[in-house]
C-alpha cells in the first residue's frame, strides 16, 4: 500500500518548483497539505514555502481559527498571511464566498510572487462535487474531475491531493500528532455538500464508493479534453473577427458540428469575451444554438448581442454594458477591448460612440453598428475623435484581444 504522506510529498515534488504557496483553512485536508509542504521544503535547501488563510467573516470563530493557523506557521517558520473578505454582497453568499476566496488568494499569490498556490481538494471532494453536479443535471464538463492545474487572473493554482482519501490524510495527521480544526458547518444539513457527504456513506453501503465515483469523474475528464480539443480545432476555422471587433460565425460550418462541440465553441468564446467567473449555462448556450439553426433572430448573452440573419451570424458588444464616460489617459484599456494611445491635453473624456458622432461619415450599416460599440473622445471641439475609425490628433485605437486568445483562455 502506498504511503499517503510520501505520495503527497511526491506530488509536490512533481510540480518542479522551488517555491510553493499553500491555502490553509485549518481543516484536516489543508493541515495535511501544509505539513507535507513543510516536509517538502525541509528536504532540500533553497526551497521556500508561503501560506495564506482566508477569513470570510461568516462565523464568529473564523478569525481565531485563522490566527491558530498563523501561530502554527510561525512555529514551522512559514510566512503566513490572513486574507480578510470585506466586500460581502447580498444574494448567493456561498457562491460569492467561493469567488472571493479565489480572488483573494490570486491577489495574494501575485503580490508575494508565489509560482503556484496549492489547494487541498481530495478524492472525497471529487466524489462530492460529482454528486452535487449530478443532482443539478450537469453534463460532461460538470461531472468531470476538477482540474489539477488552473489559473485565476494569471495566478497558477494546483490540487496535488486529488488522488488522496480524506480519511488517510487525517490518519496521517493523527500519527504525527498534528491537530486540525473541525468546521461545524461541515455537519450543517442546510448545505448541499454536507448532504452529498452523507449520501456517499449510503452509496458505499450498496457498493458505490467515493473511489469509484472519483474514477468515473477522471474518465470523464479524458472525454472533456477530447471534446475541448475538437471544439478548438473547429473554432479556428469557423470564427473570425474584423478590425472593429465584430465576431462572425460561419453558420454552415457551425451547423455541421456535433451539438456538444457547438456548445463548447460558444462557451469558450463567451467565457473569453466576458468578465464573468464562469461560462454561460448550457440552457443559455442552447438558445443561441437554436437561433443559429433557425437562421433568424437575436439573443443577448454575456454582454454581447448575437444576431442571425440567413447565413450571417455576428456578435457585437451590448451597448448597455459599455463603460460610462470618464477622463482619458494615454494607453488606457477601454471596455477590456480597446487600447487607446496618444497624448492629449487635460479634460479629454472617453465615452461610447453615438449615432450623431457617425453622421458625417458614410458607412455601411454593419460597420456603423460595430463602431457604435467602440470608443469616442471628446476634446472640446465640435467633432470627437473616433480612434477606432481613423487616427486623429495622434490618437489611435487597437483591439486588445485576438480571437485565438479569446477561445484559448
Amino acid at each position: 500500500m502506498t504511503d499517503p504522506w510520501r505520495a503527497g510529498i511526491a506530488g509536490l515534488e512533481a510540480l518542479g518548483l522551488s517555491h510553493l504557496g499553500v491555502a490553509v483553512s485549518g481543516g484536516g485536508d489543508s493541515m495535511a497539505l501544509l505539513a507535507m509542504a513543510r516536509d517538502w521544503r525541509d528536504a532540500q535547501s533553497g526551497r521556500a514555502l508561503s501560506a495564506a488563510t482566508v477569513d470570510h467573516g461568516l462565523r464568529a470563530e473564523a478569525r481565531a481559527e485563522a490566527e491558530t493557523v498563523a501561530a502554527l506557521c510561525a512555529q514551522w517558520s512559514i510566512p503566513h498571511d490572513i486574507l480578510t473578505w470585506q466586500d460581502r454582497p447580498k444574494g448567493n453568499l456561498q457562491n460569492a464566498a467561493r469567488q472571493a476566496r479565489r480572488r483573494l488568494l490570486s491577489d495574494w499569490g501575485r503580490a508575494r510572487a508565489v509560482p503556484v498556490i496549492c489547494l487541498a481538494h481530495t478524492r472525497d471532494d471529487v466524489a462530492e462535487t460529482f454528486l452535487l453536479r449530478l443532482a443539478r443535471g450537469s453534463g460532461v464538463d460538470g461531472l468531470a474531475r476538477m482540474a489539477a492545474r488552473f489559473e485565476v487572473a494569471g495566478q497558477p493554482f494546483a490540487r496535488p491531493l486529488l488522488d488522496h482519501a480524506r480519511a488517510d490524510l487525517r490518519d496521517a495527521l493523527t500519527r504525527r500528532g498534528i491537530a486540525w480544526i473541525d468546521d461545524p458547518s461541515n455537519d450543517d444539513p442546510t448545505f448541499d455538500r454536507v448532504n452529498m457527504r452523507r449520501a456517499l456513506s449510503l452509496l458505499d453501503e450498496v457498493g458505490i464508493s467515493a473511489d469509484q465515483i472519483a474514477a468515473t469523474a477522471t474518465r470523464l475528464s479524458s472525454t472533456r479534453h477530447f471534446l475541448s480539443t475538437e471544439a478548438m480545432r473547429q473554432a479556428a476555422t469557423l470564427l473570425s473577427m474584423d478590425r472593429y471587433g465584430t465576431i462572425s460565425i460561419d453558420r454552415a460550418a457551425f451547423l455541421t458540428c456535433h451539438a456538444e462541440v457547438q456548445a463548447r465553441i460558444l462557451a469558450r468564446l463567451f467565457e473569453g469575451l466576458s468578465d464573468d467567473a464562469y461560462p454561460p449555462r448550457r440552457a443559455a448556450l442552447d438558445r443561441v444554438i437554436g437561433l443559429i439553426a433557425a437562421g433568424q433572430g437575436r439573443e443577448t448573452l454575456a454582454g454581447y448581442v448575437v444576431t442571425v440573419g440567413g447565413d450571417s451570424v455576428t456578435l457585437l458588444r451590448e451597448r448597455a454594458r459599455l463603460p460610462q464616460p470618464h477622463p482619458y489617459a494615454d494607453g488606457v484599456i477601454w471596455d477590456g477591448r480597446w487600447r487607446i494611445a496618444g497624448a492629449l491635453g487635460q479634460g479629454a473624456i472617453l465615452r461610447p460612440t453615438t449615432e450623431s458622432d457617425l453622421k458625417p461619415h458614410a458607412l455601411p450599416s454593419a460597420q456603423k453598428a460595430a463602431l457604435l460599440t467602440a470608443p469616442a473622445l471628446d476634446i472640446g471641439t465640435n467633432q470627437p475623435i473616433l480612434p477606432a475609425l481613423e487616427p486623429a490628433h495622434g490618437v489611435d485605437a487597437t483591439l486588445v484581444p485576438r480571437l485565438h486568445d479569446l477561445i484559448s483562455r
Side-chain angles (χ1 to χ4, degrees), residues 7-79:
I9 295 172
L12 297 176
E13 295 275 5
L15 295 173
L17 299 167
S18 60
H19 181 193
L20 297 178
V22 178
V24 192
S25 67
D29 301 343
S30 64
M31 288 299 290
L33 178 59
L34 180 68
M36 289 175 182
R38 176 203 59 182
D39 291 353
W40 164 85
R41 178 201 62 186
D42 295 346
Q44 184 175 312
S45 63
R47 288 178 172 174
L49 178 62
S50 305
T53 301
V54 176
D55 175 12
H56 294 98
L58 300 179
R59 294 184 297 110
E61 309 88 350
R63 194 68 184 184
E65 292 170 358
E67 289 171 352
T68 298
V69 174
L72 181 65
C73 285
Q75 181 183 330
W76 288 352
S77 301
I78 301 171

Side-chain angles (χ1 to χ4, degrees), residues 239-242 247 269 272-273 336-337 398-409:
L239 296 179
S240 61
M241 183 165 63
D242 68 18
I247 296 171
L269 178 58
L273 290 169
R337 300 179 299 133
T398 54
L399 280 168
V400 176
R402 295 183 300 120
L403 190 58
H404 177 270
D405 296 331
L406 291 174
I407 60 175
S408 62
R409 285 179 181 176

